[in-house]
Amino acid sequence: MSEILNSAINKVQNAQYAFCRFITANDTGKNGSHQAGFYIPKCAAALLFETPGVKGENKDKLVKVKWQDDFTTDSRFIYYGQGTRNEYRITRFGKGFPFFEEDNVGDLLIIAKQSEDYYDGFVLQADQDIDDFFAFFNLSPEMTNQLIDISQAKTPEKQLETSIQKLVSLYTDFPETTQMAKFARDIYNEANQITDDDICKTPDLQLLKWIDTEYALFRNFEEKIYAPIYSMPFPNCQELVKFSNIILNRRKSRAGKSLEHHLATIFTSAKLEYEEQAVTEDNKKPDFLFPSGEAYHNLMFPADKLVFLGAKTTCKDRWRQVLNEANRIETKYLFTLQQGISKNQLQEMKHEHLKLVVPSPYLSSFDKEFQFEIETLSSFINIVKEKQKSKTILPV
């Protein structure tokens, strides 16, 4: 765990309120936006002011924000309520503020309120730090852009909550990741009467809802299984650290695998031909090959009918890992829950013939220049369907 990550976790734990969100191209001004500072959604207004802003009035206050435990800015919290505006922002960071650069797009912004006029701010840049932060607070990328505060969390519908509690009561240990993902889908689908037709029509939305439901389910399992352990004193510090690592590693492992499980369910509902973890060159195992590993290894099968898809929850650093996983396929696709990646990285991806696939609500977090080149889950499925529309007949 890096020093900055460790400090960010500690400051959030002790804060009155804390908030996190991915930095987008709008924040850095790369989309031509003239808005100043970081936008804060209305659901997180308590981070900035004791009382919500009143439409028709502006209000502000001056605070000190210490960034990365290193330097302090005299910043301004402001609510714009006059005219057509109705929004909160953090402004005034001073000349040379280091986190409005192109490469900061996709970084995780964290703001923690320590007192009425003193805050801590952090920007996590490495995938590993972001994943570890999410794992520590049991967040998903879908749960950013809101307060890290259980009292502010979105309350599940009663049927969903009851189903989760009923399921957890039947187990004395964690289900396998495949089961956990399926339980989440089944619970959400039943509570919201989701059909296969709904999944095919709105795959991006359904995927995010399943992920959100699975995090809620997993939290309930954690409370049941770990509470008897952490409620008792640990004999020494080493045992405490060992127990903490068990929790964090389980969270990170489950998050990555669950994404693959949910994607596979969507591909099956869409009636796509695919294979998971098919072996390619040098014993590499791509997350998804369309239509199959057998077709990939048959050199008579047209390469332009093959499709590769990797899946990574975050990919600022890791996208290069998929480049050599299927040499027959020139253009590779990578699905991610990352919200925003710098223009420089997107240019590198384009040079390496890598195309991103993201949930449709996340598309706007990327630089406008590249948005048209990024696929949604729905458009990616259509690409594969088009390639699989007619069966390829191979010579005998």
Side-chain angles (χ1 to χ4, degrees):
M1 185 178 292
S2 72
E3 187 176 336
I4 288 296
L5 172 62
N6 186 57
S7 182
I9 288 173
N10 289 336
K11 296 296 172 55
V12 168
Q13 282 183 297
N14 295 305
Q16 295 177 17
Y17 291 102
F19 167 87
C20 71
R21 73 193 263 296
F22 287 104
I23 296 175
T24 69
N26 280 336
D27 296 316
T28 63
K30 304 307 179 184
N31 275 352
S33 170
H34 299 293
Q35 302 296 336
F38 292 115
Y39 168 79
I40 303 296
K42 297 179 186 67
C43 67
L47 177 78
L48 309 185
F49 298 105
E50 289 186 351
T51 57
V54 177
K55 193 72 177 74
E57 301 176 5
N58 289 349
K59 71 172 180 176
D60 66 354
K61 74 175 185 181
L62 300 180
V63 300
K64 291 188 178 294
V65 184
K66 189 166 187 179
W67 297 92
Q68 310 291 84
D69 288 334
D70 180 31
F71 65 96
T72 301
T73 59
D74 293 312
S75 296
R76 181 191 189 204
F77 292 170
I78 185 166
Y79 168 71
Y80 295 100
Q82 294 183 345
T84 59
R85 300 183 70 177
N86 183 17
E87 63 184 47
Y88 297 86
R89 286 188 177 273
I90 303 176
T91 66
R92 294 187 186 175
F93 299 96
K95 186 177 181 180
F97 185 69
F99 302 121
F100 284 147
E101 300 300 321
E102 178 65 44
D103 287 343
N104 293 120
V105 174
D107 292 348
L108 187 70
L109 170 70
I110 301 163
I111 305 290
K113 179 179 181 179
Q114 306 302 341
S115 68
E116 190 58 32
D117 58 0
Y118 186 85
Y119 289 70
D120 283 293
F122 296 90
V123 174
L124 300 183
Q125 298 176 300
D127 282 339
Q128 190 62 58
D129 282 350
I130 295 172
D131 283 352
D132 286 348
F133 184 84
F134 284 167
F136 192 93
F137 291 104
N138 209 14
L139 299 172
S140 72
E142 171 67 5
M143 295 162 66
T144 57
N145 210 26
Q146 59 184 295
L147 293 176
I148 309 171
D149 185 318
I150 195 168
S151 68
Q152 298 292 327
K154 182 180 178 182
T155 304
E157 294 180 16
K158 191 65 179 176
Q159 183 180 349
L160 193 63
E161 184 179 354
T162 301
S163 297
I164 288 175
Q165 292 173 353
K166 181 178 179 181
L167 176 63
V168 172
S169 69
L170 300 176
Y171 285 79
T172 58
D173 201 356
F174 291 97
E176 294 181 355
T177 55
T178 305
Q179 285 182 298
M180 183 81 78
K182 185 177 186 303
F183 288 154
R185 291 192 299 272
D186 290 347
I187 288 171
Y188 178 81
N189 292 351
E190 182 180 356
N192 294 276
Q193 299 182 330
I194 301 298
T195 64
D196 279 351
D197 190 47
D198 294 322
I199 296 169
C200 292
K201 286 181 178 177
T202 57
D204 297 79
L205 174 64
Q206 302 311 321
L207 176 69
L208 293 178
K209 293 298 185 182
W210 290 343
I211 290 173
D212 202 23
T213 302
E214 188 177 348
Y215 271 90
L217 178 61
F218 186 74
R219 285 196 299 271
N220 277 265
F221 270 108
E222 280 192 324
E223 287 302 313
K224 176 180 179 179
I225 294 166
Y226 289 144
I229 302 174
Y230 66 65
S231 62
M232 300 293 290
F234 287 89
N236 53 58
C237 184
Q238 186 61 35
E239 289 301 312
L240 174 60
V241 171
K242 181 179 177 181
F243 176 64
S244 298
N245 285 335
I246 289 173
I247 295 176
L248 294 177
N249 289 336
R250 183 183 292 276
R251 287 179 177 181
K252 289 190 288 185
S253 174
R254 184 207 58 79
K257 286 296 182 183
S258 74
L259 177 59
E260 296 173 29
H261 299 325
H262 295 317
L263 285 171
T265 298
I266 287 173
F267 297 150
T268 299
S269 295
K271 296 181 171 54
L272 301 182
E273 292 183 50
Y274 70 94
E275 185 176 346
E276 297 180 73
Q277 303 292 314
V279 177
T280 60
E281 299 87 358
D282 300 321
N283 207 35
K284 296 293 176 59
K285 295 181 179 179
D287 294 317
F288 296 96
L289 270 180
F290 304 82
S292 66
E294 180 182 359
Y296 181 84
H297 288 289
N298 186 340
L299 298 183
M300 301 298 291
F301 191 91
D304 62 358
K305 296 287 188 180
L306 297 168
V307 180
F308 166 101
L309 179 72
K312 295 185 182 295
T313 53
T314 58
C315 69
K316 278 194 70 205
D317 301 327
R318 299 181 184 134
W319 62 269
R320 295 177 182 84
Q321 295 173 1
V322 306
L323 295 179
N324 64 347
E325 289 187 352
N327 296 341
R328 283 195 69 197
I329 303 173
E330 181 179 21
T331 299
K332 296 177 175 62
Y333 292 88
L334 177 61
F335 184 91
T336 184
L337 297 173
Q338 179 87 42
Q339 295 179 51
I341 294 174
S342 73
K343 188 174 180 179
N344 290 340
Q345 294 246 39
L346 292 170
Q347 286 174 329
E348 284 189 58
M349 291 179 184
K350 184 176 181 179
H351 178 73
E352 298 290 348
H353 305 288
L354 180 75
K355 297 197 70 172
L356 285 181
V357 183
V358 304
S360 54
Y362 293 177
L363 194 58
S364 61
S365 67
F366 291 84
D367 192 287
K368 284 184 178 179
E369 181 181 340
F370 287 87
Q371 286 179 15
F372 76 98
E373 297 181 355
I374 298 173
E375 302 295 341
T376 64
L377 184 54
S378 179
S379 67
F380 171 78
I381 290 171
N382 288 335
I383 289 171
V384 178
K385 279 186 174 180
E386 187 64 26
K387 290 181 181 291
Q388 297 185 354
K389 188 162 57 175
S390 58
K391 293 286 185 180
T392 300
I393 301 175
L394 298 175
V396 180

